[in-house]
Amino acid sequence: MTPTQRTGGLDGEGPGGGPDPQPRTRQEPGVRAGRSAGHTPGPETGLAPEPEADPDADPDAELEAELEAELEAELHAGFLAEAARWLHGLFGPEDRATAAVGRILDVGSGPGVASRALADVFPRAQVVAVDRSAALLARAEARAAEHGLAGRITTRRAERPEEFARSGPVDLIWTGNVCRHLGDQQAAVRSLASALRPGGLLAVAERGLPPRFLPRDIGIGRPGLQARLDAAVEEQVTARRSRLPGATSVVEDWPCLLASAGLVPAGSRTFLIEFPAPLDVPVRRHLHTRLNGLLTDLGERLDLVDRLTVEQLLDGDSCTGVLWRPDAFYLTAVTVHTARLCRPLAPSRTDS
């Protein structure tokens, strides 16, 4: 049976202005994230293919997206801290693990919350946060300084998978939701593997279970809205992947992909992230942003009844809206796959 990790809610006031009931576990800021979570089943990474420049882009909208990225990162804090401790254990007993990890790469770091979690668990390691977004890397630097880790966490901007290896050799690589945004996922894993030194570990967090936050019957529209939203998102992800540069279809069997990159699978673990009802204001705001992104992104994939239902859920003045509903919750699961480099990799044709 796959082990799971529960995490609780954020402290804060409820929608009515009074304090929410105490969460099961207090959260600290954590995990990386990208743009609005409404666009895909998981947060986008800063290493996703760069869109064409939009001269009419709204700087305020970009700032809002970055702030939402950081909020989503903080929602996953408990998961990241527990995942980092699990990775520490894969290196052996306490003293041996601490001594074995001197350099860590956090690929797709976003605002650097995963970088902080890894730096806390591996106190002798230097951590390099890698992302495409200069703004999010600036937040990673500020976060490191806030927690007294400026001397141990550095940042580097990267655009393409072949740039991963330029940070090597490293003892541990963490990457969350990066490969799904790259056309050739197997090639991306090989690039990551090439940055490891012998004995090093690659940890890939990909997919799991999509977030659930509504009951099957919410009293408006047709029952089963959440399931239909999930299905529409999956269709959209498939269509977007087909348009990625170098798009290659692979069976998303991550232990197999890791083995095909020359690594030896070292185990997978699924972490449950749970915020039970009633939700705090920050979690509700995140769900509101997610639903707004889904409505914008899915467009004609939703029928009229479901579109109107989502619009009702987004109504900030309605008691049926997600900002006020007492039955709204947040439940998702993230699976982390690990593999170890046991001997130096032979240069690939793309390396020559």
Side-chain angles (χ1 to χ4, degrees):
M1 185 160 118
T2 306
T4 61
Q5 170 67 24
R6 290 181 183 271
T7 62
L10 295 171
D11 291 332
E13 291 187 346
D20 280 340
Q22 287 298 313
R24 296 183 184 180
T25 306
R26 181 179 177 88
Q27 292 278 19
E28 296 178 2
V31 97
R32 63 147 301 281
R35 306 292 185 261
S36 168
H39 297 292
T40 63
E44 292 183 16
T45 171
L47 290 167
E50 183 76 53
E52 293 183 6
D54 181 2
D56 300 321
D58 183 357
D60 291 337
E62 292 180 2
L63 176 60
E64 184 178 351
E66 288 162 4
L67 292 174
E68 172 58 23
E70 194 149 12
L71 172 58
E72 185 176 27
E74 291 171 354
L75 297 186
H76 293 174
F79 144 62
L80 265 187
E82 182 65 19
R85 289 191 290 269
W86 175 58
L87 295 175
H88 187 279
L90 293 180
F91 282 93
E94 179 74 26
D95 293 345
R96 184 188 304 172
T98 299
V101 180
R103 197 153 188 266
I104 300 173
L105 202 61
D106 177 11
V107 177
S109 63
V113 194
S115 299
R116 182 211 163 184
L118 292 165
D120 285 343
V121 171
F122 295 95
R124 297 184 187 176
Q126 295 291 319
V127 182
V128 182
V130 181
D131 204 279
R132 193 191 67 191
S133 168
L136 290 175
L137 288 176
R139 282 299 305 139
E141 292 174 354
R143 183 182 297 274
E146 289 167 5
H147 295 282
L149 296 169
R152 293 181 49 219
I153 296 178
T154 58
T155 62
R156 190 169 69 79
R157 196 161 181 246
E159 297 278 351
R160 297 176 299 277
E162 55 267 26
E163 297 180 64
F164 299 161
R166 297 176 189 174
S167 293
V170 295
D171 303 296
L172 171 63
I173 299 175
W174 168 272
T175 180
N177 303 324
V178 169
C179 295
R180 71 175 70 174
H181 297 288
L182 301 170
D184 191 337
Q185 297 183 90
Q186 182 67 79
V189 173
R190 290 195 187 99
S191 293
L192 290 166
S194 68
L196 290 171
R197 61 166 48 101
L201 193 72
L202 170 60
V204 178
E206 285 286 347
R207 302 305 293 262
L209 295 176
R212 290 277 173 162
F213 47 90
L214 293 170
R216 186 190 68 87
D217 191 337
I218 60 175
I220 55 176
R222 291 185 293 132
L225 172 67
Q226 183 101 70
R228 292 191 295 278
L229 290 176
D230 289 345
V233 166
E234 288 299 328
E235 291 179 2
Q236 181 194 60
V237 168
T238 299
R240 284 184 169 176
R241 279 207 52 79
S242 68
R243 297 193 296 269
L244 289 174
T248 303
S249 178
V250 295
V251 176
E252 293 180 350
D253 176 347
W254 288 98
C256 182
L257 291 171
L258 292 166
S260 296
L263 304 177
V264 177
S268 299
R269 180 170 172 180
T270 297
F271 298 84
L272 183 68
I273 303 166
E274 180 183 19
F275 296 84
L279 292 175
D280 308 346
V281 169
V283 189
R284 291 179 182 275
R285 287 174 179 163
H286 169 67
L287 292 182
H288 189 275
T289 300
R290 181 180 180 84
L291 276 170
N292 190 58
L294 286 171
L295 184 63
T296 301
D297 254 16
L298 297 179
E300 298 305 316
R301 293 185 186 273
L302 301 179
D303 62 27
L304 178 60
V305 173
D306 283 349
R307 288 201 301 272
L308 291 175
T309 303
V310 174
E311 288 177 2
Q312 283 185 266
L313 288 167
L314 289 170
D315 187 347
D317 296 323
S318 172
C319 62
T320 61
V322 75
L323 291 177
W324 295 94
R325 298 184 66 94
D327 57 357
F329 60 94
Y330 184 88
L331 180 67
T332 189
V334 180
T335 302
V336 181
H337 306 277
T338 65
R340 195 179 304 278
L341 178 63
C342 293
R343 61 187 180 198
L345 294 174
S348 65
R349 293 178 180 177
T350 57
D351 294 333
S352 57

